[in-house]
Structure formats: structure tokens, C-alpha cells
Amino acid sequence: LKRVVVVGAGFGGLEVATHLRGVPVEVTVVDRNNFHTFQPLLYQVATAGLNAADVAPAVRGLFHRQANVAFRRGSATGVDWENRRLFLAEQDPLPFDHLVVGAGSVTNFFGVPGAAEHAFPLYTLADATRLRNHVLERFEAAESHPDLVADGALTFVIVGGGPTGVETAGALAELIHAVLRKDFRGTLDVARAQVVVVEMEPALLGAFHPASQRHALDTLRSRRVEVRLGARVSAVEPTRITLAGGEIISAHTLIWAAGVQANPLAGALGVAQGRGGRIVVDADLSIPGHPEAYAIGDIAHVAAGDGALPQLAPVAMQAGRHVAAQIKADLEGGRSKPFRYVDKGTMATIGRRAAVAELPHGLRLSGTPAWFAWLGLHLLYVAGNRNRLSVLLNWGWSYLTWDRGPRLILRSEEP
Amino acid sequence: LKRVVVVGAGFGGLEVATHLRGVPVEVTVVDRNNFHTFQPLLYQVATAGLNAADVAPAVRGLFHRQANVAFRRGSATGVDWENRRLFLAEQDPLPFDHLVVGAGSVTNFFGVPGAAEHAFPLYTLADATRLRNHVLERFEAAESHPDLVADGALTFVIVGGGPTGVETAGALAELIHAVLRKDFRGTLDVARAQVVVVEMEPALLGAFHPASQRHALDTLRSRRVEVRLGARVSAVEPTRITLAGGEIISAHTLIWAAGVQANPLAGALGVAQGRGGRIVVDADLSIPGHPEAYAIGDIAHVAAGDGALPQLAPVAMQAGRHVAAQIKADLEGGRSKPFRYVDKGTMATIGRRAAVAELPHGLRLSGTPAWFAWLGLHLLYVAGNRNRLSVLLNWGWSYLTWDRGPRLILRSEEP
């Protein structure tokens, strides 16, 4: 049987494996984590709305009923193209006949001094739980040491006004003003807490229609989020943030939602890289010069017009399905076909009953209808029925009670 | 208003605070964690059956609707009895009129060489998630490096055959043989995994009736758990365990369920200590010489017959209610009353549809009826409706699907 090795159990990688069901190949999905991460909901883990496990099903569990898929936990470090083997850190190489590279992105700090050391990125599950621990911990610290408030303990700066930044800002404001206000009633003036979004461009949600951008801005501001447009962070220290122009914000927390770059694996493959280090692929998603290998998802640079397709889950998923079809066609002696991305729209949620959605044919939703559409769609796409139920339970509970469940400060290093 | 300071948000401490509802006092609950830990279910977190947050509600949330209770996260380090102040690490002291010490226990390694460094205790929530990460990680490591199996990667030794040891052994065997067997089908012979219970005494579940002890032993053995009675661990190394007598077991995991001792705070109070360092209390649970102070729960030594009351949640809860009543009586000029513990029985679960329960009047249950009784009772006692729902969801799911939800390897130090 031909061996298909898929690097990365993200949206793209899982689609490839799932759509090779019943195809006479041996699929091995490789990931450094033993779970898939549903990244669009990481900000809810970070703001104590969901459990870590709710957005992170074990990969092995997802394939209990698909006999031709195995999982290997490991870090891919490079490819021996000649002998068709994938190198893994501290493990024997994995031989392949077809390789699919879907290793995703890592945070890009754009060289801002101090950002890599002190900022809180929000791209992995570990990032999300680390941020949750830190945010809740700052409130506890401010209660025991009230002078820390002036020092910035309750000031949360979010860099980046894209969907992640907007969603995090909205959820954080809700956590603070709806839940923590009750938690600390009487002992700490939670109203002094501030959420600030810093965005370089003159508008939030750059990829959206101006009406959606305005809706997001107005909603965030009405929910006590300070939005600074046309502003840029130039340096990060543990308790203060310097903006270009010299202004200093006292803040113990800088959440980095400003950008990503290709996983360093892309640079280790000896292939052409595009913007952000992404692997430039042919029209059929194969890697030029390596017809047996494909790149999909955030790590792939798929030409579209003057630029590339956006780094979004639907792009990765459609690409995954395309690659599965390509591999199947190849086995059956069929011809390679170009990948065509069908844009079914984009959404961003801002908070309780507030979201924006842009659908094909210029249809736009905002407010409650967009929020319900967002909820339904995300519930549908969360992998695994148990996770779907758990997410539904947590959302239902939060909606009805204005409470948040998993708001524990849990550090593994603690005794 | 009189100030009541309660050290410890365990079963006893929460009962004190709850039962002071409507009483004209200011209650402050102090704990080093911002959550209550439902310890009887920690082994389910460790074996991927429940989320951490399911067994750990935020303390502040539990008192949203009780205005006279505040929470303070902090580590109590001692008491200034003369000025009635509780010392906290890195914080100003907290003044009190009444003090309730319910700081619980810490693991007791009984001086076994290497145990403190290499054993996995199971007493705190951080212990439970650390053990879950480690167990799952060993299976992943054994798949990539099959020679690790002979080295003990899949051998899990549990020291202590009390309820915690029995419950952990049963749950671990179930995780391995029902879930991980499917996870690693074809790539790792999971049947080579071993769960071993090492108990010093000639029977499991020392405090139970011989019929219950036999039921536990037979059930564990039928579920492929090896039970070594009359055996003792004399040394622990990272990959091997030495038994008294010299036998060596290759094992990467030693779970320590062998015993506890009083929280070191007991020793810092300058009061009389009994067995295991527990604070000796008077018949009304007050600390001798300090009528304004009480000790309850695992940290208290309450004389009963020749010994002391057992370190169980029901003892702590009844003691908490008694102390709340004492404080109320004191405010109203009433008289101090002795504490009377009413034994309503004990239970231990062994796994799917297997448990033992001993009720008053010599009534004993085992097997499925005991298991359902155990489920119902624990569901009832889990604090918070959201947690109750989430536990119910996870249990129902596991029961119907033979699956386990939150089986992620998540380390906060990982990028």
C-alpha cells in the first residue's frame, strides 16, 4: 500500500486523512501535539469560557473508526526528498510515497523588541491556558496589592485588530465586566480594568466591508474596549508598552494577535518560499519539483490574483479535500487538477449577541443574527460529538447565567 | 461586624462559610488556589475522564449570591495569636475575631528514598493534570520507541490500596484497556501495559468489611490489575521501583496514594499536634487555649475512641457545619457544644459498574447498585450546577461510548 504522511493535525491535515477513508493507502498523521486544536475558539479558552479539552480532541480518537489512519506524535524537522523520508526529532524517519505538509504557522513578532519575551501570543492551546492563568492571576494580585492597579495589573493591551484581536477584546471585556466584577465585588474596583486594542491600520477587521468594520468598532467601544487605530507598538516590557511616537501604557499584559509566519519547517524543506515564509505551491497544491508532495493550509502560499489565498480554516479544509482527491486520482492513474477555493464568507464575533458575517453575493449580517450564525457554524465545525456537547453546555450556561465556568488559575509547576 | 477568617476552601472551609449565610459576620475564605478541589474525583482527571475545571469550581463564583463572604488568594504561614492576625506569604496579615483552620493535608512520602522526587502524588489538581500528561505521554513515547516498553514505560505502579489507590487502579486499567487500546491499535501492543497495586497490609480498603475488600480485590484482578498485598516500596527511581525484599519492578510511573500528613501550617501555629502532625482539638473542635479558633477537616485531630476521626470529606463537612453553629452561638451568647460525627457510610468505586458501599446498620452494597449509588452521591456533592452538568455529560458520554474525553497532553511550558 502507498504511504501517505500528513504533517500537522490542523484543519487541512485532518481533512486529507478523513477524505482518504476507504482509499487503499496507509495514512500517518504526524503532529507534535496529540490533539487537534480548534484555533478559532482558543480565545474562549483564554477567557475562561471553555475547557482546553473542548477545543482539542485527541487525534487518535477522531480516527477510531477509520482503519487506514495512524497517528504519530513527533516534530517534523525536514525531508529527505531523494529517499522520500520525513525526518522527525528524536525518532526514526518516516518513509512516504505521498507527503502533505500542513504544519501551519507560528506567531510573528515582527522583531518588536521584548515582544517574544513578554507578549502573550494566542495561537496554540498552551498559549490560551497560559493567558487564562495570567489574566486571572493579575486580578488576584491586584486584590492583595491594590497599588498594582496603577502599575498596569488590570490593563490588557491587544495588538492586532483582526478577527482574533476583536474576538479576544470582546470576550475579555465580557469576562471582566460581567463575571470578575461579581467575583471581586467590594474588594477590588474592577471598573478600573481596561481592555485596549492597538491596530496599525485605520480600521478594525481589515478584510471586512466598512459597514462591518464600523459595527465591530462601535460594539467594542460600547462594551468599554478602548480601540486605538493607526497605532503601533514599538517595545514591550513586563509592565509597560511603548507605542511608536513614544507614548507609554502601563500594562502587565500584552496579547499578541498581530500576525503569523510559516512554521519553520517550511524553511527546512529546501523549496521556494513566499511572503511570511510560506511554501509556494503549484495550481494543484503540489510543491514545485516534488509532484508527490503537497502543502496546504497556513503554511502554503497559494497564488490568487496579485497575492495569496488568506490563512483561514475554510481554505485549509478545502485544500485538504483537494489533496485527498489528488492522491486518489494519482492511484487510479487520473490527471492532476487545479485547486479552486470557493469563498463561502467570513465571520467574526465580538461578544454576547454581537458578530459580523459576510456571505457570498454581498450579503452581510451583524448583531444577533450574525452571532447565532457564528455559534451554529462553529458548533458544527468543532470536531467530535463529545466536544460539541461540551461546548454547547458551556455556551448555554454562560449565556443564561452570565457566568464563566473554567476560570481556574492552574499551573503545572505548582505543587 | 466580627471577622471570621477561614483558612482553606476545602470541604470543611466551604461548609463553614456557607452555613454563616445571613449571620452578621464578615467571612474571608483564604486559599492558595482560586478554586475548590473536589478531591474524591481527582483520579478521574488523572485518567482523562473529567476536565480539571469539572472538579474545581472557582471559590469566588460559589459565593456570588452570599454577600458576607469574600475570598482571598494567599498562603497562610502562621498566626499572631495575641493580636489575632493570620500571616500570609507576601501579603499583609488578615485580622480576625474567629479563625477556622481547614488547610488540609499534604502528601506523606514516609521518607521512602526517591519518592518525593520521582513519585506522582494525587492530592491536588496540579498533581492530577501532571499525572494525566505523564501517563498519556508514556504511551506516545512507547509507540515511537518500542524498546521503552521493556524499560517500564507502560508499567504503572500504585502505592496504597485505600480508596484512592483502588479507584485510580480501576480507572487506569479502564483507560488503558478500553480507550488506549483503540487509540494505538496496530502500532503498539497496549496489552503489554500493566497496572500494579502495592499494599502493605494483607487486604485492600483497610477500613472496609472483609466482603467489600474481597469484592474490590476480585474486581481489580478480573480487570487485569495486579494486586500485591503485604508488599512495601523501599526506593523509587525514575524508571524502577524497589520493593522491600529486593525485588525490582521496571516502571516509569509510581503513583503515590499511600498517605497524607497535616499541612505544614499546623506546625507553625505553636499548638499541640497529634498523629501525622494534626492539630489536636477540644470536643467542640476549638483549639486548646484559643477558644476563638477551630481546626476542622484533615488538619484536625478529633479524638474518637482510641484514635481520631478519619480524614474524610463527610467528617470535614459535618465539622464545618458544627463550627458555623458554634460561631453563631457565640455571637448570640450561647454555649459551646461538643461535635458529634454521624457516620453515614463510606464508598469506593472500582470502575465501570463496580463499587463497594458500606452504609449504617451493617448494610452493604457492591457491584452495579453500589456504583449507581456512588455516581448519584458524587454528582450531588460536586459544587456548582455547571460542574454537575459537565460531570454528568462526561460520565454519560464515557459510559455510553467507552470513550474518554479530555485526554490531551498539555504542558504549560510547551510553546
Side-chain angles (χ1 to χ4, degrees):
Chain A
L1 287 182
K2 296 271 190 186
R3 293 156 302 188
V4 178
V5 170
V6 179
V7 182
F11 287 108
L14 291 186
E15 272 317 88
V16 175
T18 308
H19 283 80
L20 288 172
R21 175 193 285 271
V23 177
V25 290
E26 273 174 9
V27 183
T28 303
V29 176
V30 180
D31 199 291
R32 57 173 302 166
N33 290 312
N34 75 332
F35 49 84
H36 163 69
T37 305
F38 193 87
Q39 285 172 331
L41 292 177
L42 281 181
Y43 77 95
Q44 297 212 359
V45 175
T47 54
L50 291 174
N51 294 298
D54 295 339
V55 304
V59 178
R60 296 180 186 280
L62 295 175
F63 293 105
H64 273 185
R65 290 196 186 77
Q66 191 179 336
N68 69 344
V69 177
F71 175 74
R72 173 64 65 90
R73 195 198 49 162
S75 272
T77 55
V79 173
D80 171 359
W81 291 110
E82 202 165 330
N83 299 303
R84 294 191 171 174
R85 297 185 310 164
L86 176 74
F87 291 122
L88 299 176
E90 296 169 27
Q91 291 185 45
D92 292 337
L94 271 183
F96 62 81
D97 298 296
H98 289 283
L99 179 71
V100 185
V101 182
S105 298
V106 296
T107 303
N108 189 348
F109 293 107
F110 299 108
V112 172
E117 296 80 4
H118 308 302
F120 288 82
L122 192 43
Y123 198 72
T124 69
L125 188 57
D127 288 345
T129 56
R130 191 168 78 99
L131 179 57
R132 183 193 69 200
N133 285 335
H134 175 78
V135 169
L136 296 172
E137 208 281 323
R138 288 296 84 195
F139 278 88
E140 297 290 346
E143 187 189 50
S144 342
H145 302 282
D147 48 315
L148 286 179
V149 179
D151 192 49
L154 304 188
T155 304
F156 304 92
V157 176
I158 296 161
V159 180
T164 303
V166 166
E167 295 183 328
T168 306
L172 198 53
E174 218 167 275
L175 172 69
I176 292 169
H177 299 298
V179 181
L180 298 181
R181 184 180 52 79
K182 285 183 280 181
D183 274 2
F184 290 87
R185 54 135 208 248
T187 55
L188 176 69
D189 185 6
V190 170
R192 291 177 68 195
Q194 282 184 291
V195 179
V196 183
V197 175
V198 175
E199 165 59 46
M200 217 159 55
E201 302 294 327
L204 295 172
L205 298 178
F208 287 68
H209 187 275
S212 300
Q213 296 175 344
R214 269 195 308 276
H215 183 79
L217 183 65
D218 293 347
T219 310
L220 282 183
R221 285 186 168 155
S222 75
R223 296 179 180 199
R224 299 196 242 175
V225 174
E226 186 184 334
V227 180
R228 315 273 295 251
L229 299 171
R232 205 162 56 75
V233 169
S234 65
V236 185
E237 289 162 89
T239 62
R240 46 189 237 161
I241 289 146
T242 309
L243 298 185
E247 187 189 344
I248 284 170
I249 303 176
S250 286
H252 291 193
T253 312
L254 180 78
I255 300 168
W256 195 267
V260 292
Q261 56 190 324
N263 189 306
L265 176 65
L269 298 185
V271 299
Q273 292 175 269
R275 200 161 65 91
R278 290 191 261 168
I279 301 169
V280 176
V281 292
D282 280 336
D284 64 353
L285 303 182
S286 67
I287 300 176
H290 303 289
E292 79 283 17
Y294 301 86
I296 60 174
D298 284 10
I299 204 172
H301 185 284
V302 187
D306 291 343
L309 289 179
Q311 286 166 301
L312 295 171
V315 178
M317 294 173 80
Q318 292 182 30
R321 290 195 287 275
H322 177 79
V323 166
Q326 290 279 112
I327 291 171
K328 209 171 145 186
D330 186 66
L331 289 176
E332 295 163 355
R335 285 194 332 158
S336 183
K337 284 182 189 159
F339 171 58
R340 261 184 245 293
Y341 170 59
V342 182
D343 183 358
K344 292 180 183 163
T346 45
M347 311 176 122
T349 184
I350 308 157
R352 200 181 178 83
R353 300 182 72 162
V356 291
E358 306 205 333
L359 307 174
H361 312 297
L363 190 62
R364 284 195 309 277
L365 299 175
S366 66
T368 304
W371 189 69
F372 277 110
W374 182 91
L375 284 180
L377 205 73
H378 281 73
L379 211 48
L380 197 70
Y381 276 108
V382 165
N385 286 319
R386 197 200 71 91
N387 288 35
R388 226 164 265 149
L389 276 172
S390 188
V391 168
L392 189 63
L393 165 69
N394 278 288
W395 283 356
W397 186 263
S398 299
Y399 185 74
L400 296 173
T401 64
W402 294 80
D403 198 4
R404 297 284 174 101
R407 58 182 189 285
L408 11 159
I409 303 173
L410 180 63
R411 294 221 172 81
S412 65
E413 64 267 31
E414 269 181 9
Chain B
L1 287 181
K2 296 272 190 186
R3 293 156 303 188
V4 178
V5 169
V6 179
V7 182
F11 287 108
L14 291 187
E15 258 342 69
V16 175
T18 308
H19 284 79
L20 288 172
R21 175 192 285 271
V23 178
V25 291
E26 272 175 7
V27 183
T28 304
V29 176
V30 179
D31 199 290
R32 57 172 302 166
N33 290 313
N34 76 331
F35 49 83
H36 164 68
T37 305
F38 192 87
Q39 284 172 331
L41 291 178
L42 281 182
Y43 77 95
Q44 297 212 0
V45 174
T47 54
L50 292 174
N51 294 298
D54 295 339
V55 304
V59 178
R60 296 180 185 279
L62 295 175
F63 294 105
H64 274 184
R65 290 194 186 78
Q66 190 178 338
N68 69 343
V69 177
F71 175 74
R72 173 64 65 90
R73 195 197 49 163
S75 272
T77 55
V79 172
D80 171 0
W81 292 109
E82 203 165 329
N83 299 302
R84 295 192 171 173
R85 296 185 309 164
L86 176 74
F87 292 121
L88 298 176
E90 296 170 28
Q91 290 184 47
D92 292 337
L94 271 182
F96 61 81
D97 297 296
H98 289 283
L99 179 71
V100 185
V101 182
S105 299
V106 296
T107 302
N108 188 349
F109 293 107
F110 299 108
V112 171
E117 296 81 3
H118 308 302
F120 288 81
L122 193 43
Y123 198 73
T124 68
L125 188 58
D127 288 344
T129 55
R130 190 167 78 99
L131 178 57
R132 183 193 68 201
N133 286 335
H134 175 77
V135 169
L136 297 172
E137 207 281 322
R138 288 296 83 195
F139 279 87
E140 296 291 345
E143 187 189 51
S144 340
H145 302 283
D147 49 314
L148 287 179
V149 179
D151 192 51
L154 304 188
T155 303
F156 304 92
V157 177
I158 296 161
V159 180
T164 303
V166 166
E167 294 182 329
T168 306
L172 198 53
E174 218 167 276
L175 172 69
I176 292 169
H177 299 298
V179 182
L180 298 182
R181 184 181 51 79
K182 284 183 280 182
D183 274 2
F184 290 88
R185 56 138 205 247
T187 55
L188 176 69
D189 185 6
V190 171
R192 291 177 68 195
Q194 282 183 292
V195 179
V196 183
V197 174
V198 175
E199 166 59 45
M200 215 159 55
E201 302 294 327
L204 296 171
L205 298 179
F208 286 69
H209 187 275
S212 299
Q213 295 175 344
R214 268 196 308 276
H215 183 79
L217 183 65
D218 294 345
T219 309
L220 282 184
R221 285 186 170 157
S222 75
R223 295 180 182 199
R224 300 196 242 176
V225 174
E226 187 184 334
V227 180
R228 315 272 296 247
L229 299 171
R232 205 162 54 76
V233 169
S234 64
V236 185
E237 289 161 89
T239 64
R240 46 189 237 159
I241 289 147
T242 309
L243 298 185
E247 188 189 344
I248 285 170
I249 303 176
S250 287
H252 291 193
T253 313
L254 180 77
I255 300 167
W256 195 266
V260 293
Q261 57 189 324
N263 188 306
L265 176 64
L269 299 184
V271 300
Q273 291 175 268
R275 199 161 65 92
R278 291 191 260 169
I279 300 169
V280 176
V281 292
D282 280 336
D284 64 352
L285 303 182
S286 67
I287 299 176
H290 303 288
E292 79 283 16
Y294 301 86
I296 59 173
D298 285 9
I299 204 172
H301 185 285
V302 188
D306 292 342
L309 288 179
Q311 287 166 300
L312 295 171
V315 177
M317 294 173 79
Q318 291 182 32
R321 290 196 287 275
H322 177 80
V323 166
Q326 289 281 112
I327 291 170
K328 209 171 145 187
D330 187 67
L331 290 176
E332 294 162 356
R335 286 196 330 159
S336 183
K337 284 183 188 159
F339 171 58
R340 262 185 245 291
Y341 170 59
V342 182
D343 183 358
K344 293 182 182 160
T346 46
M347 312 176 121
T349 183
I350 309 158
R352 197 181 179 82
R353 300 183 74 161
V356 292
E358 307 204 333
L359 307 173
H361 312 298
L363 190 63
R364 284 196 309 277
L365 298 175
S366 66
T368 304
W371 189 69
F372 277 111
W374 181 93
L375 284 180
L377 206 73
H378 281 74
L379 210 49
L380 198 68
Y381 277 107
V382 165
N385 286 320
R386 197 200 70 92
N387 288 35
R388 226 164 266 149
L389 276 172
S390 188
V391 168
L392 189 62
L393 166 70
N394 278 288
W395 284 355
W397 186 262
S398 298
Y399 185 74
L400 296 173
T401 64
W402 294 81
D403 198 3
R404 298 284 175 101
R407 58 182 188 285
L408 12 159
I409 303 173
L410 180 62
R411 295 217 172 82
S412 64
E413 63 268 32
E414 271 181 7

